Amino acid sequence: MAVRLLFITISLISAVTALPSPIKLVSDYSFPFVSREEWGARPPTMTSPLKVSPVPIVVIHHSYIPKICLVRADCERDLRNMQRVHQVTNGWEDIGYSFAVGGEGTVFEGRGWSSIGAHAFGVNTRSIGILLIGDFITNQPPQAQLQSVKDLIEAGVRLGHIRSDYKLIGHRQVTPTECPGQRLFDEISKWDHFSLNWDD
């Protein structure tokens, strides 16, 4: 009897493990998305929730350094280096940005939709900060990178994280800086929701 029970148990285990693994849930995103865990982010030292949700402002940045990354592994390495500088050198809780976008269009989760960033002093508590990895002073970002930024913003609106009447600005409109680079600034100034008078 015991041998028969053992045989049945082994047969059941074999049958269950032979089944195909469950299908993953469909992503909320129409673009390649990499979570913090997937790019190897260190844990934040602390998190603070956004003061306003959905947020009324989206701030666009460029990294300047590092230069543009066109391969996921390179982008992940660059993000880990940025996070180390932000946490260790700057003493911040985490990488400063809500999201980062690589040159080939992959979106990487930074602080995400619900945590206050450290990307644009004065508006961090009421904005999402999106970094385009690369130097866009004289170079135009690749179309795939720009499209993923647009798609990410649209997803934020659809998922209720960004107001439908949000204002889009460049980092230089908040802080004296060259960021997000002249070519990128010229590009976003043609997008819907771009606002020169964003703080009215």
Side-chain angles (χ1 to χ4, degrees):
M1 182 71 173
V3 172
R4 190 173 188 194
L5 185 58
L6 179 63
F7 177 77
I8 292 170
T9 303
I10 291 171
S11 297
L12 284 172
I13 291 171
S14 298
V16 169
T17 56
L19 292 173
S21 56
I23 297 171
K24 291 184 179 178
L25 294 176
V26 177
S27 172
D28 288 326
Y29 306 117
S30 60
F31 44 82
F33 182 83
V34 177
S35 70
R36 293 176 57 87
E37 294 76 21
E38 290 172 311
W39 64 261
R42 295 154 58 142
T45 58
M46 191 173 92
T47 57
S48 304
L50 281 164
K51 305 286 187 207
V52 178
S53 184
V55 296
I57 301 168
V58 175
V59 185
I60 301 296
H61 302 263
H62 77 156
S63 62
Y64 181 65
I65 296 172
K67 304 297 186 196
I68 193 166
C69 57
L70 297 170
V71 177
R72 176 176 161 174
D74 293 342
C75 296
E76 291 177 352
R77 179 202 60 224
D78 291 343
L79 286 168
R80 289 190 296 270
N81 289 338
M82 273 189 272
Q83 185 188 37
R84 187 169 27 261
V85 169
H86 289 183
Q87 286 184 307
V88 177
T89 305
N90 297 358
W92 299 347
E93 300 167 4
D94 200 351
I95 192 166
Y97 310 102
S98 308
F99 298 93
V101 184
E104 87 300 1
T106 299
V107 175
F108 298 88
E109 181 183 27
R111 295 195 186 199
W113 294 118
S114 58
S115 295
I116 294 175
H119 58 89
F121 183 77
V123 297
N124 285 323
T125 60
R126 55 193 173 114
S127 68
I128 293 295
I130 302 174
L131 170 75
L132 283 78
I133 301 172
D135 171 6
F136 302 116
I137 296 173
T138 58
N139 298 318
Q140 175 80 4
Q143 189 55 42
Q145 190 175 31
L146 295 171
Q147 188 59 54
S148 285
V149 172
K150 291 177 180 178
D151 293 344
L152 175 63
I153 294 169
E154 286 177 14
V157 172
R158 178 172 44 82
L159 296 169
H161 301 295
I162 299 173
R163 282 177 28 179
S164 59
D165 63 344
Y166 71 91
K167 294 182 178 181
L168 178 71
I169 63 173
H171 185 198
R172 63 171 60 176
Q173 293 174 259
V174 179
T175 307
T177 178
E178 198 283 328
C179 182
Q182 191 60 49
R183 285 297 296 277
L184 179 52
F185 187 78
D186 291 344
E187 171 65 27
I188 65 168
S189 68
K190 297 181 275 189
W191 293 8
D192 291 342
H193 294 270
F194 177 78
S195 179
L196 285 174
N197 304 310
W198 60 274
D199 207 18
D200 290 346

